[in-house]
């Protein structure tokens, strides 16, 4: 069928037409032009109504247009419809020579069949020959009329006009070839894009499958807060917060703090913090209400562009409800057991004290046994107190302006006798006064724990030193010993409850592994930090950082 060089939309419309409609559409421009001239002829050029050649050209043009629709082109092989533009040359020749000299310009109508043939996709040689010979034979009769006195102008017209049509045919041919090449390239690129799109969809499905298979919720958001990626687990968490239709981090959402009752403000929600560029881990929130309320441990990392701009964030949600409830149950158990132990232990210690204070002297062996009972009961009571403190989630501190130098002096004085018995040298280099915003009772407990640990884990002949330094914001107290030290793995777990290093257990050093855990809890309640530097056989240094000043007064 005819192969016009329409592009995109018009080309699609043309290809949807039937073969006869396509041929008729290609013939339509010439037919319309001839029809307009034919209608105007009786008024503008009435003499042409008596020209047989002219009338034959008009009739042939109409017959060819009707033939476009009447001939079953779809049943005929080898593109026979190209006979239509060839016969157009005959019709135009009849029109032009029948209307000469009134309408010599009708010869220009050959541009329509020339365009058709050149754009039809037929053999280049055939279309070029027809594009030259058709106009040539149309122009020859006018030159023959001037025989025998043919002028140079007549000969030029006979040759120049066909050459012009040949040039038009060549231009169309080159444009058609170039367009076909472009269409081929576009088709190839379109195929490649479709393959890339199909591959991208497969990777997207794979990513969705992998994300949905994980037991954590994952959400990636852009800078404006819209979801880029999320998995089914995360969507379930969002439904629990009643935020199905809300923009991430905005609107009313049932996200609570650690007390499970206080709604978090929008700027403290995990996604809002992530969108603000924060990077965090182990941020505990509660989602939902009632029996379906879940504890979520969240973590976030920002997404940065190549030029360092924040483009979004990835937030990960881990359901730790079981772990939190187990921890709470464990703390309740320890607290209850500690409470139940205190009463009988106090009774034992009190009665032993009464017996030892009797005016009548006891046999030496009985006294020694009672002293053993007293010492171990007091040790057990101290252990119970440590257990109760470690299980308490409401360890209260009451900070005020405190001179840490006096607390260090008290601690050194209390530990001096034990240090001498252990043959450990203890010293302090602390400026006096050394002011900090701290609870003197709790910080004294911290210093006692750190100094007693330093003495306990230092061999005979060791040294324990306490030093301090301060600036306008923080006060740093360091307790350093020359004891057995810890490995890198033990140092990472030193502040865990009930943890004791293998070396300490092998050396049969007494302890329950609660002192450092309680110490860290006290320091963190002050808004400070505690760090440890240690190495096997190189001793340990614990540094406590406390605020130098309290918060500004409220007016």
């Amino acid at each position: 069928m005819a192969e016009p060089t329409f592009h995109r939309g018009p080309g699609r419309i043309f290809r949807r037409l039937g073969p006869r409609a396509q041929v008729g559409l290609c013939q339509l421009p010439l037919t319309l032009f001839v029809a307009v001239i034919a209608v105007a002829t009786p008024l503008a050029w009435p003499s042409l109504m008596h020209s047989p050649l002219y009338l034959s050209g008009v009739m042939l043009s109409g017959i060819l247009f009707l033939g476009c629709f009447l001939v079953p082109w779809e049943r005929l092989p080898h593109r026979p419809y190209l006979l239509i533009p060839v016969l157009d040359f005959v019709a135009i020749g009849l029109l032009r020579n029948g209307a000469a000299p009134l309408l010599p310009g009708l010869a220009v109508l050959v541009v329509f069949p020339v365009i058709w043939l050149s754009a039809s996709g037929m053999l280049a040689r055939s279309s070029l020959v027809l594009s030259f010979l058709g106009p040539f034979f149309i122009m020859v009769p006018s030159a023959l009329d001037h025989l025998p006195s043919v002028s140079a102008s007549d000969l030029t017209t006979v040759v120049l006009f066909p050459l012009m049509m040949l040039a038009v045919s060549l231009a169309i041919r080159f444009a058609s070839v170039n367009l076909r090449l472009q269409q081929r390239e576009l088709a190839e690129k379109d195929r490649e894009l479709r393959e890339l799109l199909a591959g991208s969809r497969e990777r997207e499905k794979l990513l969705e499958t992998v994300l949905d298979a994980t037991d954590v919720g994952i959400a990636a958001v852009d800078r404006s807060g819209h979801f880029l990626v999320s998995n089914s687990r995360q969507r379930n968490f969002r439904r629990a917060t009643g935020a199905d239709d809300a923009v991430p981090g905005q609107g009313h959402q049932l996200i609570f703090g650690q007390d499970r009752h206080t709604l978090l403000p929008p700027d403290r929600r995990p996604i809002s913090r992530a969108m603000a560029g924060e990077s965090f881990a182990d941020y505990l929130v509660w989602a939902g209400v009632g029996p379906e309320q879940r504890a979520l441990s969240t973590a976030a990392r920002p997404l940065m562009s190549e030029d360092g701009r924040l483009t979004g964030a990835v937030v990960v949600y881990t359901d730790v409800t079981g772990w939190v409830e187990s921890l709470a149950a464990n703390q309740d158990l320890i607290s209850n057991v500690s409470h139940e132990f205190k009463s009988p232990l106090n009774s034992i210690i009190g009665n032993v004290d009464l017996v030892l204070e009797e005016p009548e002297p006891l046999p030496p062996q009985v006294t020694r046994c009672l002293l053993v009972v007293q010492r171990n009961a007091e040790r057990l009571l101290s252990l119970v107190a440590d257990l109760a403190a470690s299980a308490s989630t409401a360890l209260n501190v009451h900070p005020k302006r405190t001179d840490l130098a006096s607390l260090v002096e008290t601690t050194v004085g209390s530990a001096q006798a034990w240090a001498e018995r252990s043959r450990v040298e203890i010293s302090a280099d602390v400026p006096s006064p050394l002011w900090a915003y701290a609870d003197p009772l709790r910080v004294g407990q911290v210093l006692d724990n750190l100094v007693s640990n330093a003495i306990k884990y230092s061999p005979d002949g060791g040294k324990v030193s306490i030093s301090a330094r301060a600036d306008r914001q923080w006060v740093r107290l360091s307790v350093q010993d020359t004891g057995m030290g810890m490995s890198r793995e033990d140092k990472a777990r030193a502040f865990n409850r009930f943890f004791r290093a293998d070396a300490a257990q092998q050396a049969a050093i007494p302890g329950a592994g609660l002192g450092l855990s309680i110490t860290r809890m006290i320091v963190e309640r002050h808004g400070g930090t505690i760090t440890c530097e240690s190495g096997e056989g190189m001793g340990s240094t614990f540094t406590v950082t406390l605020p130098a000043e309290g918060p500004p007064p409220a007016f």
Side-chain angles (χ1 to χ4, degrees):
M1 193 48 49
E3 299 181 13
T5 56
F6 296 123
H7 183 60
R8 295 291 180 182
R12 290 198 194 98
I13 296 173
F14 186 84
R15 284 192 294 272
R16 291 173 185 168
L17 300 176
R20 303 185 190 187
Q22 289 181 355
V23 175
L25 189 60
C26 292
Q27 181 67 10
L28 181 61
L30 176 61
T31 304
L32 288 176
F33 198 95
V34 173
V36 170
I37 295 176
V39 171
T41 297
L43 300 176
W45 312 284
S47 60
L48 295 182
M49 299 298 296
H50 305 289
S51 172
L53 291 178
Y54 177 79
L55 295 177
S56 299
V58 172
M59 293 179 61
L60 179 58
S61 179
I63 292 171
L64 291 175
F65 185 67
L66 291 175
C68 293
F69 298 96
L70 298 178
V71 176
W73 305 108
E74 65 276 6
R75 300 179 185 177
L76 303 177
H78 308 304
R79 296 188 292 187
Y81 56 83
L82 292 178
L83 182 63
I84 297 293
V86 174
L87 293 177
D88 282 339
F89 287 122
V90 177
I92 294 170
L94 293 173
L95 285 170
R96 191 264 179 185
N97 290 291
L102 292 176
L103 295 173
L106 290 179
V108 78
L109 294 178
V110 298
V111 73
F112 293 112
V114 167
I115 292 174
W116 189 350
L117 290 172
S118 301
S120 64
M122 70 182 301
L123 292 177
R125 184 180 303 174
S126 301
S127 65
L128 292 175
V129 169
L130 289 173
S131 297
F132 178 80
L133 292 180
F136 178 78
F137 286 115
I138 290 174
M139 303 302 296
V140 166
S142 61
L144 295 177
D145 289 342
H146 293 82
L147 288 177
S149 58
V150 178
S151 65
S153 176
D154 294 332
L155 293 177
T156 301
T157 302
V158 171
V159 177
L160 183 60
F161 185 71
L163 287 175
M164 290 175 58
M165 291 300 104
L166 178 62
V168 170
S169 178
L170 284 170
I172 294 173
R173 172 66 61 173
F174 291 149
S176 298
V177 170
N178 184 53
L179 183 59
R180 289 192 182 94
L181 288 175
Q182 291 180 354
Q183 289 177 337
R184 193 175 295 116
E185 291 176 358
L186 287 175
E188 181 65 20
K189 291 181 179 179
D190 183 67
R191 183 186 63 79
E192 293 176 358
L193 287 175
R194 290 179 183 275
E195 291 178 355
L196 290 174
L197 181 60
S200 176
R201 287 175 177 170
E202 290 180 1
R203 288 190 293 272
E204 182 180 356
K205 290 181 180 178
L206 176 62
L207 176 61
E208 290 178 355
T209 302
V210 171
L211 292 178
D212 289 340
T214 61
D215 60 352
V216 298
I218 300 175
V221 294
D222 60 17
R223 187 67 182 85
S224 59
H226 296 94
F227 282 113
L228 299 174
V229 176
S230 64
N231 64 350
S232 58
R233 189 84 168 174
Q234 194 275 338
R235 290 190 288 271
N236 290 337
F237 292 151
R238 277 183 59 77
R239 279 193 288 272
T241 66
D244 282 340
D245 301 324
V247 175
Q250 300 180 14
H252 178 71
Q253 298 180 22
L254 301 176
I255 301 179
F256 302 91
Q258 295 190 25
D259 63 358
R260 306 179 65 168
H261 301 291
T262 304
L263 279 172
L264 285 178
D267 61 336
R268 301 307 300 165
R269 296 170 186 169
I271 287 186
S272 297
R273 292 183 59 188
M275 289 166 54
E278 291 189 51
S279 179
F280 55 86
D282 298 328
Y283 180 49
L284 185 67
V285 298
W286 287 86
V289 293
E292 302 301 322
Q293 190 178 47
R294 312 302 295 173
L296 304 179
S297 176
T298 64
R301 293 293 182 273
L303 295 175
M304 310 299 292
S305 63
E306 293 183 357
D307 57 358
R309 292 184 301 104
L310 179 69
T311 60
V314 176
V315 185
V316 178
Y317 301 78
T318 305
D319 190 339
V320 293
T321 307
W323 180 83
V324 171
E325 292 177 346
S326 298
L327 182 61
N330 181 53
Q331 291 175 340
D332 288 342
L333 175 62
I334 294 175
S335 179
N336 291 333
V337 169
S338 301
H339 178 73
E340 294 298 326
F341 279 6
K342 279 183 179 180
S343 296
L345 284 173
N346 285 324
S347 177
I348 291 171
I349 294 173
N351 283 280
V352 169
D353 289 342
L354 290 175
V355 171
L356 291 174
E357 291 174 358
E358 285 289 337
E360 297 182 4
L362 297 173
Q365 184 177 359
V366 174
T367 301
R368 285 196 299 271
C369 291
L370 288 176
L371 289 174
V372 170
V373 172
Q374 183 187 49
R375 184 168 60 252
N376 283 280
E378 288 176 347
R379 180 183 173 190
L380 186 57
L381 184 61
S382 176
L383 177 60
V384 169
D386 286 347
L387 281 171
S390 69
S392 174
T393 58
L395 192 151
N396 296 319
V397 297
H398 304 284
K400 61 182 180 179
R401 194 165 185 260
T402 302
D403 181 13
L404 298 185
S406 62
L407 297 180
V408 171
E409 184 180 353
T410 301
T411 297
V412 171
S414 300
Q416 190 67 50
W418 183 21
E420 291 175 355
R421 288 196 303 269
S422 302
R423 290 198 290 269
V424 173
E425 179 184 343
I426 183 170
S427 63
D429 181 15
V430 177
S432 180
L434 181 63
W435 298 106
Y437 188 71
D439 184 331
L441 179 63
R442 294 299 186 185
V443 173
Q445 185 179 354
V446 167
L447 288 170
D448 289 342
N449 281 340
L450 294 179
V451 171
S452 64
N453 274 356
I455 297 173
K456 185 190 305 182
Y457 292 103
S458 294
D460 292 346
K463 294 182 179 180
V464 174
S465 59
I466 305 173
S467 60
R469 63 185 187 275
D471 55 32
R472 296 185 61 182
Q473 292 184 321
W474 302 100
V475 176
R476 293 172 177 84
L477 281 171
S478 295
V479 178
Q480 184 177 13
D481 64 65
T482 59
M484 63 178 63
M486 292 180 285
S487 66
R488 180 181 300 178
E489 293 77 11
D490 290 343
K491 184 178 71 172
R493 302 171 59 193
F495 295 100
N496 292 351
R497 286 196 303 169
F498 305 111
F499 172 74
R500 302 197 67 218
D502 292 338
Q505 297 181 31
Q506 292 172 3
I509 298 175
L514 291 171
L516 289 179
S517 173
I518 296 171
T519 297
R520 182 176 66 174
M521 187 185 304
I522 294 173
V523 172
E524 290 180 347
R525 288 289 195 277
H526 282 82
T529 59
I530 181 170
T531 59
C532 173
E533 295 294 332
S534 184
E536 289 185 283
M538 300 173 60
S540 303
T541 300
F542 289 86
T543 301
V544 174
T545 302
L546 297 172
E549 296 181 358
F555 294 99

